[in-house]
Amino acid sequence: MKVEVFADHYRNRSGVNALSPHIPHVERRAVTIASVPAAHSYVQNALADAQDAGLLTVLDDPHPAGAPAGQWWPPVMLDAAWIEQNARSFDLLHVHFGFESFTVEQLTRTVDALRLADRPLVLTVHDLENPQLSDQGDYPALLGLLIDAADEIITLTPGAAAEIENRWQREAILIPHPRVLARTVEAASGKVRRTAPRVGVQLRDLRPNIDALNTVRLLIDAAERLAGEGRPVTVVVDINDRVRDEVLRVQLERLVGDSHVAEWNEHPRLSDDDLTASIASLGIVVLPYRHGTHSGWLELCWDLGVDVLAPGVGFYGEQHCDASIALFDPASAPSFDAALEHLLTRAHEPLEAVRRRRRDARLTQSGQIAEAHLAVYRRALARVRA
């Protein structure tokens, strides 16, 4: 396992010294990246410092034919014909998300087109299982194809790197998740921790990996037990007005309506600002996932100083190894209750102090993350040009 840049828990495990928080003096020619996608907040925040330093250029997402304005998927840059026509406009292709839109045969042609054009492939493994799919189908084969073909592989946690090594015998570079909030956006100020905590679960559009009914039942049952002990907790169940499973939405609304400790909050899909404000109003967020690998939602909560109750699947607990994240077994009510109790009773420093400290850590880390990506890109380019 190679640690290119790391949060504190990566350093503690590896014994490697931290990289400089500033972009080093390296070859000044800007590397041009075709990123799949480019507009995603992960990509923008991970590479911002390198772009600001003039060391990196990221091509805009081409607009897919027939897609609504602003939609990047299915990703045009993964089409072999696009690569053949545009190979001179970029130095390497970096894949993050969206390849599940392609067949194995199509993605094989994509890799062949890159090799023919002498353009390296960099892959960041965010999801070992795809959270958008109820049936993983060809996803493992697609992921394996990219892992086998990639000149460099990045992932976010030691556990994911170990699984990549075990399943595909490939080494992944560890680069932690960047800040989710844009650098120009500050967490809402003036929020205080309430005497009766608000514990929320965001179900969004009930995508396939959302374990909605089980999670809401666990949370309501725990809150009702706490209310019976004279320790009131308000449960906030947040859901989009357009969902993928209307029958389940009705069940959930009935379950919440029958409880005296829960609120039902149904609304159109939230803007980024409204989502930030919604999470910032909570003391604890419960992640309702039945499977997964890493969570950008968890990272947003961390930016905002909101504690997270996460299922013990994937590698959520490795994203930040601190007391603000507690894991539970989705099949065990006692496990859920114990994790919630930990978060409700743990010592808290003032919320604004938490947010300032985490913001400062993120800003320092952003230079390290950009530097690490530059190092990966230059190695990939050197390998292809050798």
Side-chain angles (χ1 to χ4, degrees), residues 197 199 215 218-219 222-223 225-226 231 233 283-287 307-312 322-348:
V199 182
T215 304
L218 285 171
L219 182 51
R225 280 192 290 273
L226 288 167
R231 303 163 60 200
V233 168
I284 298 171
V285 164
V286 182
L287 300 186
D307 288 356
V308 173
L309 192 58
D322 63 37
S324 71
I325 298 170
L327 302 180
F328 68 93
D329 177 355
S332 168
S335 170
F336 184 93
D337 292 350
L340 180 59
E341 181 74 13
H342 161 74
L343 294 181
L344 290 172
T345 58
R346 79 178 189 90
H348 289 93

Side-chain angles (χ1 to χ4, degrees), residues 251-285:
Q251 286 181 281
L252 290 162
E253 186 175 15
R254 184 178 300 119
L255 177 62
V256 172
D258 288 342
S259 172
H260 64 280
V261 299
E263 299 176 0
W264 180 256
N265 186 16
E266 184 176 327
H267 50 71
R269 185 177 185 275
L270 296 176
S271 67
D272 289 348
D273 289 345
D274 288 340
L275 172 61
T276 297
S278 174
I279 293 177
S281 71
L282 301 169
I284 298 171
V285 164

Side-chain angles (χ1 to χ4, degrees), residues 13 17 20 38 93 108 124-125 136 215 229 312 337 386:
R13 295 177 186 199
N17 291 324
S20 164
L93 183 75
T108 299
T124 295
V125 180
Q136 293 298 299
T215 304
E229 298 169 6
D337 292 350

Side-chain angles (χ1 to χ4, degrees), residues 46-124:
L47 302 180
D49 281 31
Q51 292 186 83
D52 291 347
L55 299 175
L56 196 64
T57 299
V58 180
L59 299 182
D60 292 335
D61 292 308
H63 185 253
Q71 178 176 307
W72 58 266
W73 66 89
V76 176
M77 287 180 179
L78 283 182
D79 187 277
W82 184 92
I83 293 170
E84 292 164 0
Q85 295 164 12
N86 294 275
R88 291 188 177 184
S89 69
F90 66 93
D91 293 305
L92 63 83
L93 183 75
H94 187 166
V95 177
H96 291 269
F97 306 108
F99 56 86
E100 71 276 5
S101 303
F102 289 70
T103 66
V104 172
E105 292 74 18
Q106 288 172 325
L107 211 55
T108 299
R109 290 196 291 272
T110 301
V111 170
D112 290 343
L114 287 171
R115 293 292 173 257
L116 188 62
D118 289 328
R119 294 296 183 266
L121 170 64
V122 174
L123 171 68
T124 295

Side-chain angles (χ1 to χ4, degrees), residues 364-379:
T364 296
Q365 191 186 55
S366 67
Q368 298 174 325
I369 290 173
E371 179 183 341
H373 279 86
L374 278 173
V376 167
Y377 295 156
R378 295 191 187 284
R379 280 198 303 272

Side-chain angles (χ1 to χ4, degrees), residues 4-25:
E4 197 72 44
V5 67
F6 39 82
D8 287 344
H9 59 287
Y10 293 164
R11 182 178 64 244
N12 293 340
R13 295 177 186 199
S14 67
V16 181
N17 291 324
L19 297 173
S20 164
H22 305 291
I23 298 297
H25 295 291

